[in-house]
Amino acid sequence: MSKKHPIQLSDHFTYARLFRFVLPSIVMMVFTSIYGVVDGLFVSNFAGKTAFASINLIMPFLIILGAMGFMLGTGGTALVSRVLGEGDKEHANKYFSMITLFGILLGVILTVVGVLAMRPMAILLGATEAMVDDCVLYGRIVVCFLTSFMLQNMFQSFLIAAEQPKFGLLITLAAGVTNMVLDALFVGVFRWGIAGAAIATGISQTVGGVVPLMYFLFSKSSPLRLRWTGFEAQPLLRSCANGSSELMSNISGSLIGMLYNAQLMRFLGEDGVAAFSIACYFFPIIFMVYNAIAQSAQPIISFNYGLNETLRVRKTYLLALKTAVGCGICFALITIFCSREIVAMFIDRSYPAYDIAVQGLPLYASGFVFFAINIVSIGYFQSVERAKYATVITLLRGFILLTLCFYGLPLLLGKPGIWLATPLAELLTTLFILIIYMGRKRNGKENSISLQHGNHAKEILQEV
């Protein structure tokens, strides 16, 4: 029996082939997000509600620091994949090595910043006297592993560009199993509490970051190989600019998380923070699935963009979009019909936070489909190196509209408005994207987001 042909970026992608290519990345990113969920499950069940709320309170700051890895990985993958598509393997490896070395240097610097800023940040985010020490303890331990976490985030994208999504999946599975086993041991058996959860997360991130680093250093079969190289401003700035929307997405999401926590502490206290913590643990899994689809499609789009294969670029985007929307519908239905079971994993049914979360999660899930459309569309603009459009849409959906909805809806709807703020912001962002293209069709003018390698953007949005 002949072996299945390995999927390559130059292939003609059908829905089945794209799904095969995307699936390992989806599982990989879901396992990455499960690190935090596992921490939450063990901490909430063994260390109590206050420790659980403390992790959620400091988590946005940790996400902002780690988001630099997503920025370099996403922006760098688009650049490296395009150069590979142009047939210049030498420069592709040079840029890949340069971006990786820069990520390591940046990780060391941000680790020092994170350790020094952890206590002031916890106080700034509204930690009570009972919570602040837990926030600082968890945050400082996790941030000591920040460089590995950034490498893990970067290599998730680069392993796809290296046509090794299955290997990336195996690494992430190993890291995920490490996290779960150590959580059970450190928190459940040794009763180290919040410190045990932080150490387990850090060690698992080390597995996820260091193993692919060794692969890129020593593999002879990988199209991407690490080597020593100097820094050049232009490709680094281009990668950072192209990945800036990914950075802004994480930063804006974290800033909004801080605003949510401040408002919830103000009106509902620890019960409100604990209730919304469930959304904060559950929502990243949804985001990671959409992000995996977008990031898996990205090197395919960028590679074909470099080849001037505009029809393949268009088809890949549409296939990715349909896949994400299908996942969004499934996630929304599961959340709506299983909200009690989801909440019960984190909070005892006797706590006031349980009822708050059960009522709020279905409202929150109503925006999952719009979220899918927006994330994949942002990934598309990153893939064709239209960073400013991806960044504008990211800021619009992730900060501007969300802030307006978050402060405006509660005035109109009361407490349900807090949960509906995110869905409304996602819906308005989707409408904003469609209005742009409707306006372009009406006036018949060339739109500024057309591709240099073919004017097919209009057709794409019309089909969507």
Side-chain angles (χ1 to χ4, degrees), residues 104 111 173 238 252 308 323 356 385:
I104 294 172
T111 297
L173 286 173
R238 191 165 188 173
S252 60
N308 198 19
T323 304
I356 297 172
E385 298 184 282

Side-chain angles (χ1 to χ4, degrees), residues 69-363:
F70 282 118
M71 176 188 71
L72 292 172
T74 303
T77 297
L79 173 63
V80 170
S81 298
R82 178 181 61 77
V83 175
L84 282 174
E86 293 170 351
D88 192 349
K89 189 175 179 180
E90 177 72 17
H91 273 87
N93 277 285
K94 181 179 180 179
Y95 295 156
F96 166 61
S97 300
M98 189 186 308
I99 292 164
T100 301
L101 290 171
F102 180 72
I104 294 172
L105 176 63
L106 186 61
V108 173
I109 294 171
L110 291 177
T111 297
V112 176
V113 172
V115 170
L116 296 177
M118 200 62 63
R119 182 170 292 274
M121 187 58 64
I123 295 171
L124 179 66
L125 294 176
T128 63
E129 188 176 343
M131 296 168 64
V132 68
D133 287 338
D134 281 344
C135 289
V136 174
L137 179 61
Y138 183 85
R140 282 181 173 168
I141 293 174
V142 170
V143 85
C144 287
F145 298 90
L146 180 64
T147 302
S148 294
F149 183 49
M150 287 178 59
L151 286 175
Q152 181 180 11
N153 294 338
M154 291 168 59
F155 290 145
Q156 284 176 349
S157 297
F158 281 123
L159 282 169
I160 299 170
E163 300 171 348
Q164 293 292 334
K166 290 184 179 178
F167 180 60
L169 171 60
L170 291 175
I171 293 170
T172 306
L173 286 173
V177 170
T178 300
N179 188 57
M180 288 183 276
V181 171
L182 293 182
D183 262 325
L185 184 64
F186 295 163
V187 182
V189 178
F190 294 165
R191 300 300 176 104
W192 290 353
I194 205 167
I199 295 170
T201 296
I203 294 174
S204 66
Q205 289 169 352
T206 301
V207 173
V210 173
V211 173
L213 178 66
M214 296 297 103
Y215 169 78
F216 284 122
L217 279 172
F218 301 112
S219 174
K220 295 181 179 179
S221 61
S222 173
L224 295 179
R225 296 283 304 277
L226 282 173
R227 67 186 191 191
W228 183 257
T229 184
F231 291 149
E232 293 180 16
Q234 186 175 0
L236 285 175
L237 289 174
R238 191 165 188 173
S239 297
C240 291
N242 199 44
S244 60
S245 59
E246 192 72 28
L247 175 65
M248 294 310 301
S249 177
N250 282 275
I251 290 178
S252 60
S254 296
L255 290 174
I256 290 298
M258 295 175 187
L259 292 176
Y260 268 65
N261 285 333
Q263 289 289 81
L264 290 165
M265 283 294 294
R266 188 173 167 191
F267 292 107
L268 296 172
E270 288 183 16
D271 287 324
V273 175
F276 201 78
S277 295
I278 298 170
C280 293
Y281 279 111
F282 186 56
F283 188 61
I285 299 177
I286 311 298
F287 170 77
M288 285 296 190
V289 171
Y290 299 155
N291 205 37
I293 295 169
Q295 286 193 14
S296 297
Q298 183 188 65
I300 303 169
I301 293 173
S302 296
F303 185 89
N304 286 288
Y305 177 65
L307 286 174
N308 198 19
E309 291 282 355
T310 56
L311 289 179
R312 288 188 179 183
V313 169
R314 172 177 172 269
K315 184 175 181 180
T316 302
Y317 170 59
L318 288 174
L319 288 174
L321 192 61
K322 291 174 183 177
T323 304
V325 169
C327 290
I329 293 171
C330 293
F331 288 139
L333 292 175
I334 290 171
T335 307
I336 290 169
F337 290 109
C338 302
S339 61
R340 292 184 177 276
E341 289 75 15
I342 293 170
V343 175
M345 290 191 300
F346 294 90
I347 299 176
D348 189 273
R349 295 174 189 267
S350 63
Y351 290 165
Y354 174 84
D355 292 326
I356 297 172
V358 167
Q359 294 168 11
L361 274 185
L363 300 177

Side-chain angles (χ1 to χ4, degrees), residues 371-450:
F371 186 38
I373 295 172
N374 297 337
I375 291 298
V376 173
S377 298
I378 289 169
Y380 168 77
F381 291 123
Q382 291 172 332
S383 302
V384 296
E385 298 184 282
R386 289 295 179 271
K388 62 181 179 180
Y389 304 111
T391 303
V392 167
I393 295 171
T394 298
L395 284 174
L396 189 67
R397 62 159 286 274
F399 188 73
I400 298 171
L401 288 175
L402 191 52
T403 301
L404 292 173
C405 293
F406 178 65
Y407 284 103
L409 274 186
L411 297 177
L412 299 174
L413 304 176
K415 293 177 183 178
I418 295 177
W419 295 92
L420 286 170
T422 297
L424 180 59
E426 298 292 349
L427 170 60
L428 292 175
T429 302
T430 302
L431 293 176
F432 174 77
I433 295 171
L434 293 176
I435 287 171
I436 290 175
Y437 285 90
M438 289 172 61
R440 177 173 175 258
K441 180 180 179 181
R442 187 170 56 250
N443 61 36
K445 294 180 180 179
E446 182 71 19
N447 196 281
S448 60
I449 57 176
S450 300

